[in-house]
Amino acid sequence: FRRVTVSPDGKRQWVLSAEESYIYRKDQQQKRIVAYRFKFEQYDNAGRITGILTGDRAEINYEDNVAKVTGQVVFIEPGKSRMTAGAMDYDIKTKVLKSDHPVLLEEEGLHTNCRNGVVIDRTIQRQVCRSPAVVRTSSGKKGENFDDVFK
């Protein structure tokens, strides 16, 4: 399964692909997609990938434009960060990622365990890590644990 969405001026906005998918319709309208071994790529106006979200299973509800992704969930902002979790919700319109599950956030040699989840607003580059524990790994030495640095 593969679906590409383009803007009115012909620029790619996002690509959704999956090994297996089920499309549910109601009143001649597509209401949701359930996809397995899922990949979602989002693009900027210049055609560059701004985010890649993958997971074992995703359910996209077109009424609220939210993708609920479960299994081995990975979100990558190329050149910036990588997040892994067991479950994550992504609002396709507002570009907000949310998870109430533990999330590992990797940025520039710093690994942050967000033990109670995250909220990340990609439009304003704001992230909230709930109950963080940080591991510094860029020094080449074995990582140092900094538990509850924001208590």
Side-chain angles (χ1 to χ4, degrees):
F1 171 80
R2 182 175 163 88
R3 174 169 290 169
V4 178
T5 299
V6 294
S7 64
D9 61 351
K11 294 182 180 172
R12 184 179 289 183
Q13 293 178 316
W14 53 264
V15 175
L16 169 65
S17 57
E19 286 185 27
E20 181 179 356
S21 66
Y22 300 91
I23 300 172
Y24 297 90
R25 301 175 64 89
K26 181 179 178 186
D27 301 326
Q28 301 301 318
Q29 293 282 345
Q30 185 172 290
K31 293 298 180 183
R32 70 184 176 116
I33 295 176
V34 177
Y36 296 91
R37 289 158 303 285
F38 160 89
K39 183 176 184 181
F40 177 80
E41 298 171 340
Q42 200 158 31
Y43 295 81
D44 65 11
N45 290 332
R48 294 180 301 256
I49 293 177
T50 59
I52 302 168
L53 178 63
T54 62
D56 295 334
R57 181 185 187 276
E59 183 170 334
I60 302 167
N61 182 327
Y62 281 98
E63 291 178 348
D64 59 10
N65 283 305
V66 172
K68 294 185 177 294
V69 187
T70 57
Q72 180 60 31
V73 180
V74 177
F75 180 76
I76 298 171
E77 283 187 288
K80 294 181 182 178
S81 64
R82 174 186 172 97
M83 289 169 266
T84 55
M88 197 174 292
D89 293 347
Y90 183 58
D91 188 310
I92 296 166
K93 295 278 188 203
T94 64
K95 298 182 181 179
V96 174
L97 284 155
K98 293 181 184 177
S99 181
D100 293 328
H101 299 270
V103 175
L104 176 62
L105 177 59
E106 302 170 52
E107 298 177 292
E108 301 175 7
L110 187 68
H111 294 178
T112 306
N113 291 310
C114 303
R115 294 175 289 189
N116 291 328
V118 296
V119 176
I120 297 173
D121 186 333
R122 297 181 56 228
T123 58
I124 59 173
Q125 298 299 312
R126 174 185 280 171
Q127 61 189 26
V128 176
C129 176
R130 297 183 194 122
S131 190
V134 180
V135 177
R136 187 180 70 211
T137 60
S138 63
S139 66
K141 299 176 186 175
K142 188 170 173 125
E144 298 176 44
N145 287 316
F146 300 95
D147 198 25
D148 289 325
V149 294
F150 298 109
K151 267 191 170 180

